[in-house]
Amino acid sequence: DEDEDEGAEEDEDMDEDEEERGGGDAPTKKAAAAMSVGIGSFSDPLEAQGLSHFLEHMLFMGSEKYPTENDYDTFLTKHGGCSNAFTEAENTCYHFDVQPNSLHDALDRFAQFFISPLVLEGAMEREVQAVHSEFEQVLQSDGCRLMQVQCVTAKEGHPWRIFSWGNQKSLVELPKAANVETRPLLLDYYKTHYKAEQMSLVVLGGESLDTLQGWVGELFSGVQSGGKERLDFAPHGAPFGGEGMLYRLPAVKEAHELHLCFPLPSLFEHYKRKPDEYISHLIGHEGSGSLLSALKEKGWATKLSAGVSDSGHEKSSASWLFGISITLTEAGLERMYDVAGLLFQYVAMLKADGPQEWVFREIAATKDMEFQFLEEEEADEYTVRLASRMHLVAPKDILVGEYLMTDWDPALITATLSCFSPDTVRLDLLTSTFELGSAGKEVETEPWFQVPFTRERIPQELLEAWRNPQVDPTLRLPPQNEYIPHNLSIRKDPSKVPEAEAGGNGGNGASADGEA
């Protein structure tokens, strides 16, 4: 039948076209991509704070090749995908997922973000409102309110002091009052910083590596080069520390939280050693002999968390910030300084006992298991995680870097522990009992979130007591966990090898035991 032959030829042509685009062999899972650009809110101009976040929004508003506003999102929605982006202190990340057969065309639209965005005046007003709306959504977030108070009380001239969210006032009203035009600022910022040298791209698809690499070369060749390497904020150092201050601010929730912050040097280069995770494992331990156990025994606290957040503010090239958050009881609120004192006793115990290799090996083994038995995550989340870390680890470690703990370095742990000092700690008390004008203290107001707060010096006698504490004898290291396996290789038990495999004439099966 001639019609059937023509139909078969048509199907064959479609199959060939799909294979050229990689669609013929693409899996049913989502394809995805993420681009991390090494510039963020730390680089916002003071006359238009929040500009990095604003530019992130504007790149979605059409390009020279695809000028229709929201063409990118419309295409993704039509092909079973979605997109998003976020701005951090030192990077801005754009990402999407889509049906596998549409990856090439989605990448084509995505690439235009970094080649020829329009940044039209007409779209700016709407996107300022979108930025302002996101700001308004976090006005009642205790975590965001606390961070903004920390930002406004950071050292003068430190990039922490920049208002990273952006809103109508910072992006429109203040620039207008200073005769500053926002669009030229946006374009100059884009042309200066959105260069290939500052970008890390991850593409995830079912096609061959050669095919995916070819697409990237084809679609992203128009990205401008000639830019500087990623900016390094190390000269700024820690945003605070050494002031011996306590800050009080009102909590939206009915709660009392004591936050202690210790500045650390930037530890990105030590990703195979992870001294911060060694320390957070011990301070955050909840069993017998732990800090939390002692606090609960005294009726002072119900919850404790410790470690360096993955937020760009807490982990930056300027410094890392190790945070300890303690949820206080009413009794703990009254004994807040004693709660902090107990922490310094625990730290003193850790320093006296010295680094323990068995603790390091237990954490390393747990991380190794976590990586080996990692559950598959959403495609776009995976690409974001890799793109955000590409510039921080050796190429061979990109997939596994955050799980590696291979280099035991007791000197580095000791040096990191030395940063846990009363002379560098910052205390923030977030409490629903905050009252304006309480105890005659001057009340200040954070200018963006309008959060009232007070500051007071920690008494010198307390700081001295914390420097040389008498350690509570109930505080001790956790016991070794004998149930953590350190060898996950599969081995054969000779006594269970089938006769046929062993050279015999029979056998009805084989088994392999895991060695712990």
Side-chain angles (χ1 to χ4, degrees):
D1 189 295
E2 192 173 320
D3 289 341
E4 283 183 4
D5 289 341
E6 286 178 1
E9 287 175 9
E10 209 170 288
D11 288 344
E12 209 170 302
D13 290 341
M14 289 177 65
D15 288 343
E16 287 176 5
D17 185 57
E18 279 191 343
E19 285 176 11
E20 287 177 11
R21 288 293 178 89
D25 297 321
T28 56
K29 296 177 182 178
K30 290 280 187 76
M35 176 76 91
S36 175
V37 184
I39 199 73
S41 61
F42 274 6
S43 301
D44 285 355
L46 295 180
E47 62 269 31
Q49 297 179 53
L51 193 76
S52 298
H53 186 198
F54 186 25
L55 179 59
E56 170 216 307
H57 277 249
M58 288 303 301
L59 296 195
F60 285 79
M61 296 293 104
S63 63
E64 291 181 9
K65 185 173 182 179
Y66 298 101
T68 304
E69 200 169 292
N70 292 316
D71 172 86
Y72 168 71
D73 282 332
T74 301
F75 177 87
L76 291 176
T77 300
K78 183 179 178 181
H79 295 88
C82 62
S83 68
N84 213 331
F86 58 88
T87 302
E88 282 281 11
E90 294 181 281
N91 75 289
T92 305
C93 190
Y94 304 82
H95 56 99
F96 72 86
D97 65 18
V98 72
Q99 291 172 348
N101 290 346
S102 301
L103 176 59
H104 179 276
D105 291 342
L107 275 175
D108 188 19
R109 288 163 172 79
F110 185 59
Q112 300 310 308
F113 280 41
F114 315 104
I115 297 173
S116 58
L118 294 176
V119 191
L120 294 175
E121 193 84 48
M124 288 177 60
E125 185 175 343
R126 291 191 299 278
E127 288 312 301
V128 164
Q129 291 305 315
V131 170
H132 188 80
S133 176
E134 290 180 10
F135 163 71
E136 289 186 319
Q137 289 171 22
V138 299
L139 284 174
Q140 299 304 306
S141 162
D142 280 330
C144 293
R145 288 157 61 94
L146 171 60
M147 171 162 279
Q148 198 55 45
V149 169
Q150 291 175 332
C151 288
V152 80
T153 54
K155 296 173 182 175
E156 288 288 345
H158 198 285
W160 255 70
R161 291 181 69 96
I162 292 171
F163 174 53
S164 59
W165 285 95
N167 63 9
Q168 177 77 19
K169 182 178 181 180
S170 74
L171 294 169
V172 178
E173 296 170 13
L174 292 179
K176 184 177 180 180
N179 293 317
V180 173
E181 294 185 33
T182 306
R183 186 170 184 268
L185 270 183
L186 279 171
L187 293 174
D188 182 65
Y189 184 93
Y190 178 87
K191 291 174 182 176
T192 301
H193 299 297
Y194 274 59
K195 300 290 184 68
E197 289 81 1
Q198 295 202 37
M199 296 181 182
S200 300
L201 174 66
V202 174
V203 178
L204 178 65
E207 296 75 20
S208 70
L209 288 176
D210 287 343
T211 297
L212 293 175
Q213 185 174 347
W215 289 357
V216 170
E218 168 200 349
L219 301 174
F220 289 84
S221 60
V223 175
Q224 293 298 307
S225 61
K228 300 177 181 177
E229 296 297 322
R230 289 179 182 246
L231 297 178
D232 184 359
F233 292 89
H236 290 279
F240 32 70
E243 298 90 0
M245 301 295 291
L246 164 71
Y247 298 84
R248 298 177 190 256
L249 62 152
V252 175
K253 297 181 298 184
E254 286 291 324
H256 317 295
E257 295 179 359
L258 178 63
H259 296 264
L260 301 96
C261 181
F262 296 92
L264 308 177
S266 187
L267 296 170
F268 286 124
E269 65 180 299
H270 299 298
Y271 66 90
K272 293 182 181 180
R273 299 173 178 85
K274 297 183 172 59
D276 59 304
E277 296 197 26
Y278 173 96
I279 296 169
S280 65
H281 173 78
L282 295 174
I283 293 179
H285 174 57
E286 299 182 358
S288 177
S290 68
L291 173 60
L292 180 60
S293 176
L295 289 170
K296 284 184 173 181
E297 183 68 26
K298 295 177 183 296
W300 293 348
T302 59
K303 187 179 177 182
L304 181 150
S305 61
V308 182
S309 163
D310 283 330
S311 157
H313 277 73
E314 279 82 1
K315 274 186 179 178
S316 75
S317 60
S319 71
W320 284 23
L321 298 175
F322 191 106
I324 301 168
S325 174
I326 303 172
T327 302
L328 303 173
T329 62
E330 295 292 336
L333 180 63
E334 295 294 323
R335 306 290 295 272
M336 173 192 59
Y337 281 135
D338 291 329
V339 171
L342 200 58
L343 166 66
F344 284 108
Q345 291 179 44
Y346 193 86
V347 169
M349 182 270 294
L350 293 181
K351 291 177 179 178
D353 286 357
Q356 305 291 311
E357 186 172 2
W358 65 267
V359 174
F360 180 88
R361 298 300 176 198
E362 284 191 355
I363 303 170
T366 302
K367 282 187 165 294
D368 184 46
M369 281 191 294
E370 187 179 353
F371 179 74
Q372 291 201 43
F373 301 104
L374 201 60
E375 291 187 10
E376 187 172 355
E377 58 192 302
E378 296 293 335
D380 63 330
E381 293 177 3
Y382 185 56
T383 57
V384 166
R385 188 160 58 81
L386 297 185
S388 300
R389 294 189 58 83
M390 281 177 69
H391 66 291
L392 298 173
V393 300
K396 66 184 179 64
D397 295 330
I398 288 172
L399 299 182
V400 72
E402 63 190 287
Y403 300 96
L404 283 179
M405 279 187 76
T406 55
D407 299 353
W408 164 240
D409 190 340
L412 180 60
I413 292 173
T414 298
T416 308
L417 265 176
S418 70
C419 298
F420 288 71
S421 163
D423 299 312
T424 60
V425 70
R426 174 192 171 112
L427 270 62
D428 292 278
L429 179 64
L430 192 65
T431 174
S432 50
T433 63
F434 180 91
E435 294 182 8
L436 293 176
S438 60
K441 298 180 181 67
E442 179 187 354
V443 178
E444 303 175 57
T445 302
E446 187 281 322
W448 301 105
F449 280 63
Q450 296 297 305
V451 180
F453 67 94
T454 63
R455 63 176 96 198
E456 60 194 79
R457 292 206 171 275
I458 301 170
Q460 279 300 318
E461 58 270 22
L462 270 177
L463 293 174
E464 184 57 37
W466 292 349
R467 291 185 192 106
N468 302 285
Q470 296 295 316
V471 178
D472 187 321
T474 64
L475 298 175
R476 59 184 181 275
L477 293 171
Q480 296 190 37
N481 188 342
E482 62 185 38
Y483 298 106
I484 294 178
H486 293 268
N487 184 349
L488 298 173
S489 60
I490 304 298
R491 65 179 178 85
K492 292 181 178 179
D493 185 337
S495 66
K496 297 181 179 180
V497 176
E499 289 182 20
E501 190 174 329
N505 298 318
N508 54 12
S511 66
D513 295 334
E515 182 182 20

